[in-house]
Each structure stands twice: as structure tokens, then as C-alpha cells.
Amino acid sequence: MRRAMRFNTAGPNNPERHYMVPATERLPEARRYVDNGDYFVVHAPRQTGKSTTLQLLARDLTREGRFAALHFSCETGEPSGDDFESAQRAVLFSIRHGAEMRLPEALRPPPWPLATRENLLQAGLSAWAAVCPLPLVLVFDEIDALRGESLRSVLRQLRAGFPDRPTRFPWSVVLCGLRDVRDYKVAGGGDPTRLGTSSPFNIKVVSSRLADFSQSEVDALYSQHSRASGQAFTSEATARAYELTAGQPWLVNALAREVVEEMQVAPSAPITKDHIEQAKERLILARVTHLDSLASRLNEPRVHRVIGPLLEGAVRIDEAYDDDLAYVRDLGLVAPDKPVRVANSIYREVIARVLSGGVEEMITASPRSFLLADGRLDMDRLLDELAQFWREHGEVLEAGLSYREVAPQLVLMAFLQRIVNGGGQVEREYGVGRGRIDLLVRMPFTAEDGRRAWQREAMELKVWPARKKDPLQRGLLQLEGYLDRLGLEHGYLVVFDRRPDAAPIEERTAFEQATTPKGYQVRVLRG
């Protein structure tokens, strides 16, 4: 019996069971590298479809009859640590098991030959290549699960056998993992603060990063569900899904799965932008595994050194920055291209919520007490309550947050999220060199004609650091540009004074009224 097709969020895709973007479209250059006998690297953040793409590539190459291609995982070698003999035996076991499951008998490896403990893998692959009637193509998935001497040993043996291909060694080898090959030096015992470019695997021809989905690929993926079930995604829904995820494959699938399977929108009803918004909020609140695993990285020093300046809007320049940035990009937290920014809207929200989660738990104010009769948010009252909360708890909260350099911003975002949560939305924009965080509060309300409408309120956060002049005028000009972009004529500016000689928090936290050069009215909170 044929099973119903699904959006997959757990493990590799199966074309017979899961909606998916065709593997050949995701890594089109791979076939050319294989044809040329290249050794190359494919890397991308977790849950972006690497394993699915390479499994299907290996399957297709074998079916075509020109290569004996096998995909297998090195993950079983992870517990071996520096025990390189144990790690090699784990990898060889994965190869044999995969071959018995997926290759015709004539293409399977012979018994592994006797060899020294330093050369088990090289000897085994050499013996297999010598008897296999077709050139070997091997995909070492999860290669960066290996560590220390085990990883160095595997890479060096691949390099040592490279000149003997194809009659005495695999014709083409693909290393697949989270990181680019430049970071393998760290896993192999190199200095993580000075990676350089050297690597035990210096025979690779290229490192390919598996790209996120484009808007057209998201449309095509969701349309597969529409054709299979008759339930349409509106164009606004697919556009919002792409806007929230920037095409991150797991998130794209997770939003759709949440709507279809968990929210159980009636099959006769179209999936709308509002459904996608609800699904996003449910995923974030549930702290699903994908989001939780990324959030757990935030306190790693290398991650902190990149995300901290992003939240602060500051510029960081030092010798280790490029390497830290490459690492965080490989994790998928930061976009792969310039300028430096968090990879997508959902990750921006997750980062802010995780880093300020303890603060949000301390806020006792009832969200409903800030709503006007028609459902709009009373922004003036919200800021009044925020100011009082900051006077009472600001210094204690600053001292307790791990990202102390952006503690005031995190406290404000936590307060805002606590009040808006449950009906409205807070959208955040921040990035290196911006010198600010822009916030857009969106709250549904009932318009005079009875229709549902959206209240939009713009807020900008700035910091007054040591040895700098008052940022008020610069902030008003920046906020004006933000208001122009949103089509609004009033806004809110919050300036946190972080100068060592600033007045006590009780004295400096106060309001004033200001006007932008174009005449927009701005309520300013200094804290």
C-alpha cells in the first residue's frame, strides 16, 4: 500500500514518501567532479539535505552502470576518539554494511586484507578497487564526526592512496560534513584560533556548500503537496515561508508539516500566510530539536564572539574573527554571504528569546492589561512599564546575562516579547555595523468596519558607549529611515547609556519627546 506523502523533518528523504527538491538540482556540479575523478568536499549546516542529496547521487551513479558508488556514514567512529585503529574498523564496517545493502554482489568489497593498524583503511580500499569491475565512488558522510588522530589518520590515508586511482584506489571521493575542509585541522588537533589553510586533505579540488532553497524551490516543494492532496498554499503563504526561513530546508519543511499535520488545517481550506505565522510561533515555543541544537551553541566562545557584535550592531576586527565567522557560518547561524547577518528571521527570534529567556520569566505584567478596547497595544503604557521594570531590575539583570555586552537590548526585547506574545509579533533586524536594533511590533485588532487589521509600531534600540557623543540625533535619523521604509510617521527610540560615568539607573531612566528632520514624532526612552 502506498503511503501518503509528507513533509520530512527527520532523517534523509525518501522520494517515495517525502516531498523534496530533486537532488540533482541541489548539487548539479557533483557529477562533473565525479566524472573527472576528483576528490571534493560537500558541506552545509545540519538538516539541509546533504545526506539525502548524496545518497541519491550514489544510487543514480550505480544504476547507470558506469561506477560503483556508495554512500555511508562515519558517525559510528565518533566514540573512538583518538583511537585511530578503532575508528578505521568502524568506518570499514560501515562501508561493508552499506555495500551489502545497496550494491550488487559483483561490486561489493572482498574480505578486508591484513594490514598494519596505521593503514587498515588504505589497504581495504586498495584491495576493493583492485577487484571491482567499475571505478569506485565513495561518499564519506558525517566525516567530521571523527576527531583527533582518527580524523587525521583517515584523511592521510585517502591522500596517500590518491595517486593510485582508479585501479588501486577509489576513483572519486566525497567528504561530507558540517564544516568546510579548512576546519578539519581543528578537529584533527590543530589550533582553533589560527586555522590557516593547511589540511591533511590537501588533494581536494573544491569545497561545495549545499545551498538553501530559493523562493522558486519553496514554491515547487509546496506545490507537490497541492498536487498530491488538492490543498493549495496561497502565494502569500509560500512567500512568507521563504521570508521567515530564507530557504533553510529543514525550516521550510517544518513550517509546512506543522500546518498540515499538527495544526490540521482542513484539506478543503487553503493554507494561508496566517497559518505559516502560527506554525512559526509553535515551532519556536516548542523548541524543536533543530532550533534547540542551534540555541545550545550560543554560549560557545567562537559563537559568542560573532553573535555578540551582531546583536550589538558593532564591528569586530581581530586575527581570529574570520575563522570564528567561518565556523558560525558552517553551523548555519549566520548567512553564507555578505553582509554578516543571522541566517533567517526565525533564527533571529530564537537567538533573542534564548538569550533573554530568563528575563521573560521574571516579567509579571499581564499582556492583556496593555490592550485597548479594539485589541490594539497601548505602546505608551508598555514603555512606561518597561521603564519602571528597568529601574528596578536593570542592574541585576545586566550582571546575570551571558551576553552582557547586549544585556539592555535583551531585556527590552524580552519585555516586549512577553507583552506581545499570544497574538502579536515582534520582528527584529540587527547586524554588524548597523549600530542599532530595529524592532517592528505587529498587533491584530478590529477596525471600525469590523474587519481584522494590523497595528504596526516601530522601535529602535541604540547604546551610548564610553567615549562617544550622545547618539540621539543619529538615532532619530536612522529611525526616520526605518519609518519611511514602513510607511509610518511616528515611532519610539530607546537609548541605553552604557558609559561608566553615567548617572545611576534610577536617575537616568526617563522619557523625552523628539522630532525627526522630516517632522515624525518620536517618544524617546533613555535608560
Side-chain angles (χ1 to χ4, degrees), residues 472-473 475-476 479 483 489-493 511-517 519-526:
L472 176 63
Q473 294 306 315
L476 289 173
L479 178 57
L483 293 172
E489 295 185 352
H490 74 276
Y492 303 87
L493 176 62
F511 289 96
E512 60 187 80
Q513 197 68 26
T515 304
T516 74
Y520 301 158
Q521 294 301 302
V522 177
R523 192 179 189 204
V524 180
L525 169 60
R526 292 184 180 272

Side-chain angles (χ1 to χ4, degrees), residues 55 64 89 107 145 152 193 273 278-279 301 324 330 381 414 430 457-458 490-492 495 523:
Q55 279 182 4
E64 291 164 9
R89 293 190 185 281
L107 302 180
R152 288 155 63 91
T193 64
K273 178 181 176 180
Q278 293 173 41
D324 292 338
D330 285 346
R381 180 178 178 185
Y430 47 79
E457 304 287 354
H490 74 276
Y492 303 87
V495 179
R523 192 179 189 204

Side-chain angles (χ1 to χ4, degrees), residues 247-268:
Q248 204 286 334
W250 188 91
L251 291 176
V252 170
N253 278 280
L255 287 176
R257 181 183 179 278
E258 190 72 19
V259 171
V260 172
E261 296 189 20
E262 302 303 325
M263 293 166 54
Q264 296 186 345
V265 176
S268 58

Side-chain angles (χ1 to χ4, degrees), residues 17 24 34 36 71 82 90 178 215 241 246 249 261 341 343 349 456 464 483:
R17 297 184 55 199
T24 53
V34 169
N36 291 340
H71 168 280
D82 283 324
L178 176 69
Q215 175 71 73
E261 296 189 20
R341 64 196 186 281
E349 188 163 341
R456 296 187 304 152
W464 188 351
L483 293 172

Side-chain angles (χ1 to χ4, degrees), residues 300-344:
E300 292 182 16
R302 298 177 71 185
V303 176
H304 190 151
R305 291 196 294 266
V306 173
I307 298 299
L310 268 177
L311 286 166
E312 194 175 7
V315 175
R316 176 188 155 217
I317 300 175
D318 58 52
E319 289 186 40
Y321 181 68
D322 285 346
D323 293 325
D324 292 338
L325 179 58
Y327 174 70
V328 179
R329 277 188 166 135
D330 285 346
L331 291 177
L333 277 167
V334 170
D337 56 349
K338 299 175 183 178
V340 180
R341 64 196 186 281
V342 175
N344 56 64

Side-chain angles (χ1 to χ4, degrees), residues 39-58:
Y39 282 28
F40 61 102
V41 174
V42 173
H43 70 103
R46 295 202 182 281
Q47 296 180 301
T48 54
K50 302 185 301 296
S51 295
T52 295
T53 300
L54 292 171
Q55 279 182 4
L56 295 176
L57 173 66

Side-chain angles (χ1 to χ4, degrees), residues 133-149:
L134 297 174
L136 288 175
V137 178
L138 300 184
V139 180
F140 288 70
D141 201 356
E142 302 285 352
I143 182 66
D144 44 8
L146 303 179
R147 292 289 185 270
E149 289 302 320

Side-chain angles (χ1 to χ4, degrees), residues 132-390:
C132 188
L134 297 174
L136 288 175
V137 178
L138 300 184
V139 180
F140 288 70
D141 201 356
E142 302 285 352
I143 182 66
D144 44 8
L146 303 179
R147 292 289 185 270
E149 289 302 320
S150 295
L151 178 59
R152 288 155 63 91
S153 174
V154 168
L155 297 179
R156 283 173 172 162
Q157 289 178 74
L158 291 176
R159 182 178 63 185
F162 178 78
D164 300 329
R165 71 198 200 291
T167 56
R168 296 292 298 179
F169 214 65
W171 170 245
S172 180
V173 165
V174 187
L175 300 184
C176 177
L178 176 69
R179 296 166 297 177
D180 192 355
V181 71
R182 69 193 301 277
D183 269 349
Y184 291 176
K185 188 180 178 185
V186 178
D191 179 359
T193 64
R194 294 296 298 268
L195 294 184
T197 57
S198 64
S199 165
F201 193 67
N202 59 8
I203 52 175
K204 60 101 177 179
V205 66
V206 70
S207 291
S208 295
R209 188 186 193 279
L210 197 66
D212 293 328
F213 293 156
S214 64
Q215 175 71 73
S216 62
E217 287 174 326
V218 174
D219 295 343
L221 182 72
Y222 285 4
S223 68
Q224 292 175 31
H225 173 75
S226 300
R227 290 194 299 271
S229 68
Q231 183 179 45
F233 282 81
T234 66
S235 58
E236 292 81 7
T238 57
R240 184 56 176 162
Y242 182 74
E243 185 180 12
L244 289 170
T245 65
Q248 204 286 334
W250 188 91
L251 291 176
V252 170
N253 278 280
L255 287 176
R257 181 183 179 278
E258 190 72 19
V259 171
V260 172
E261 296 189 20
E262 302 303 325
M263 293 166 54
Q264 296 186 345
V265 176
S268 58
I271 295 171
T272 67
K273 178 181 176 180
D274 285 346
H275 292 134
I276 296 295
E277 293 284 0
Q278 293 173 41
K280 180 264 295 185
E281 187 67 19
R282 288 165 60 99
L283 290 176
I284 292 174
L285 291 177
R287 287 285 294 272
V288 289
T289 302
H290 173 87
L291 298 178
D292 209 34
S293 62
L294 282 176
S296 68
R297 302 273 192 170
L298 291 175
N299 286 320
E300 292 182 16
R302 298 177 71 185
V303 176
H304 190 151
R305 291 196 294 266
V306 173
I307 298 299
L310 268 177
L311 286 166
E312 194 175 7
V315 175
R316 176 188 155 217
I317 300 175
D318 58 52
E319 289 186 40
Y321 181 68
D322 285 346
D323 293 325
D324 292 338
L325 179 58
Y327 174 70
V328 179
R329 277 188 166 135
D330 285 346
L331 291 177
L333 277 167
V334 170
D337 56 349
K338 299 175 183 178
V340 180
R341 64 196 186 281
V342 175
N344 56 64
S345 178
I346 291 178
Y347 289 177
R348 283 200 300 270
E349 188 163 341
V350 168
I351 288 170
R353 289 198 189 189
V354 167
L355 295 178
S356 62
V359 177
E360 195 171 338
E361 296 294 332
M362 294 179 57
I363 300 168
T364 59
S366 169
R368 295 189 61 83
S369 67
F370 294 88
L371 296 181
L372 300 172
D374 60 1
R376 288 181 299 120
L377 193 64
D378 187 338
M379 286 294 293
D380 287 332
R381 180 178 178 185
L382 186 152
L383 284 180
D384 290 341
E385 292 278 350
L386 169 64
Q388 186 58 35
F389 181 81
W390 181 248

